[in-house]
Amino acid sequence: MSSPAPNRRSFLARGAALAAVPAVASLAGLAEPAFAADPLPDYAPIPPSALGPAVNAQGYYVGRLEKNLYWVTDSTYQAAFLTTKDGVVLFDAPPTIGHNLQRAIDEIASANGVSNKVTHIVYSHHHADHLGASSLFGRHVTRVGHAETKRLLARDNDPARPVPDVTFETHRTLHVGGERIELAWHGTNHTPDNIYIHLPNHDTLILVDINLPGWVPFSTFNISEDVPGTIAAPAKALSYPWKHYIGGHMGRTGTRRDMVIYQQYVTDLIDGVKKALVTVDPTPFFTKYGNNSWAAVKTYQDAQAEYASAPVIKKYTGVLAAADVYTASTAFLILESVRLDLGVGSQVHP
């Protein structure tokens, strides 16, 4: 296993978080950034419970989940791998971890005297931030994913993310080296192709970009493409038997308790949004901005999102990391879904 490095929280995690951001100033030949926010806001401290193990000097941590199933993280992204008698099954290949994926596999394989050759990569969904290192493993790896993942990757035509060789529509059992991996699609959520990856003999569920253990969702509900589907996902996840959870992001794995806390967080936001839709008066916003309809709508909806998110931020600060950072944007997307998908607050002109 990787040994701790004391500077992980102060440097490496931030480096991983910024890895995908273009170096605009460098590309433009600028000595300093063209824009700097002034002043930068302060946010609540991150609760220690949200932080995972320290990464090593190369920028990764690898640890055992159960038996021969391992997980690897750079404190911002996560992947997992299963060692078998016939080779290694890798679950996702985030580019921020990149070549450290093979280093982590090599470390475990060397310690346990097993093969370090990746024979299969299981795709959770098509997004580049989780698959962008897939091409590092060559053309002779069998890639497995949902049928929609193949269609979307063919559309995107990204050489870093080869299309799956093996696909399925609703369920598939993958047998590799005497191990069993259950793959299932239970409808759209974060994306149309995001799947549930269950390893029943290892008490583990992998469901990416839904619950990020210890943290609130990234902006606008992890940029959910299907809000009702995303809201329904935790209950579907909890219907599986598992002890360990891989959510795809941040520095630690999750538990069933983490899923319950996340589920309650979302429920609290839904309740707040429904109250906001009938409580926040639109009159001042439309009076002030007159025929600038977008200004009126924006400020009105900002006020609704603030109304819905304020008590949730207060309740979960110190419980979920960054509750004060992204809760309002998630409240906005849930507000739009409750309004548009469920019809709450919709009125027919007399």
Side-chain angles (χ1 to χ4, degrees):
M1 306 296 170
S2 298
S3 58
N7 63 348
R8 191 271 300 177
R9 290 171 185 167
S10 61
F11 178 74
L12 287 172
R14 287 187 300 231
L18 294 171
V21 179
V24 176
S26 298
L27 292 173
L30 301 175
E32 295 184 5
F35 172 81
D38 181 26
L40 291 174
D42 293 319
Y43 293 109
I46 298 300
S49 60
L51 299 174
V55 300
N56 62 15
Q58 291 174 297
Y60 72 89
Y61 169 85
V62 60
R64 187 192 305 271
L65 280 171
E66 191 90 17
K67 302 175 185 174
N68 54 326
L69 178 66
Y70 301 84
W71 72 294
V72 57
T73 184
D74 59 5
S75 292
T76 303
Y77 280 84
Q78 302 173 351
F81 61 91
L82 183 68
T83 62
T84 81
K85 63 184 180 62
D86 293 337
V88 176
V89 181
L90 177 63
F91 302 94
D92 278 355
T96 66
I97 306 179
H99 289 280
N100 279 338
L101 291 165
Q102 188 64 62
R103 293 186 182 104
I105 292 168
D106 292 346
E107 180 180 333
I108 295 301
S110 176
N112 296 328
V114 296
S115 172
N116 68 344
K117 180 177 176 57
V118 175
T119 61
H120 295 73
I121 304 177
V122 176
Y123 288 177
S124 65
H125 65 301
H126 71 285
H127 279 167
D129 62 329
H130 292 279
L131 301 185
S134 176
S135 62
L136 296 180
F137 296 91
R139 293 179 298 172
H140 302 296
V141 172
T142 299
R143 294 169 170 87
V144 183
H146 191 261
E148 185 70 1
T149 301
K150 184 172 185 176
R151 188 191 72 79
L152 291 167
L153 289 178
R155 176 203 67 183
D156 297 342
N157 192 27
D158 178 5
R161 294 174 287 158
V163 299
D165 307 288
V166 176
T167 63
F168 68 98
E169 293 285 351
T170 55
H171 293 85
R172 188 180 184 96
T173 301
L174 189 64
H175 295 281
V176 180
E179 302 290 350
R180 178 164 63 101
I181 303 159
E182 299 288 348
L183 309 177
W185 180 80
H186 295 301
T188 60
N189 47 67
H190 169 65
T191 62
D193 60 326
N194 201 31
I195 64 171
Y196 297 68
I197 303 168
H198 185 223
L199 294 100
N201 297 327
H202 299 82
D203 285 336
T204 297
L205 181 72
I206 301 172
L207 178 60
V208 172
D209 283 340
I210 298 295
N211 175 17
L212 317 181
W215 294 72
V216 300
F218 177 69
S219 182
T220 53
F221 209 13
N222 291 324
I223 318 180
S224 173
E225 295 186 32
D226 185 326
V227 174
T230 299
I231 291 170
K236 295 176 182 179
L238 288 168
S239 72
Y240 284 87
W242 52 268
K243 181 171 67 175
H244 311 288
Y245 177 81
I246 295 287
H249 280 280
M250 313 316 284
R252 72 169 177 87
T253 59
T255 65
R256 297 185 76 86
R257 181 175 181 273
D258 287 317
M259 188 65 75
V260 171
I261 291 172
Y262 163 77
Q263 192 176 35
Q264 186 60 56
Y265 168 85
V266 173
T267 298
D268 289 344
L269 273 178
I270 294 169
D271 291 344
V273 158
K274 289 179 177 178
K275 292 176 183 176
L277 282 167
V278 297
T279 301
V280 179
D281 181 8
T283 306
F285 307 96
F286 286 87
T287 299
K288 177 175 175 60
Y289 293 107
N291 62 3
N292 189 343
S293 297
W294 279 165
V297 169
K298 179 186 184 302
T299 53
Y300 174 45
Q301 291 191 315
D302 285 348
Q304 290 176 309
E306 182 179 358
Y307 180 96
S309 63
V312 178
I313 292 170
K314 182 178 180 180
K315 178 177 177 179
Y316 288 93
T317 294
V319 177
L320 293 176
D324 56 338
V325 179
Y326 279 137
T327 296
S329 73
T330 289
F332 169 77
L333 192 60
I334 291 176
L335 173 89
E336 286 298 273
S337 177
V338 167
R339 187 174 70 86
L340 301 175
D341 296 324
L342 304 184
V344 176
S346 179
Q347 299 178 3
V348 177
H349 190 278

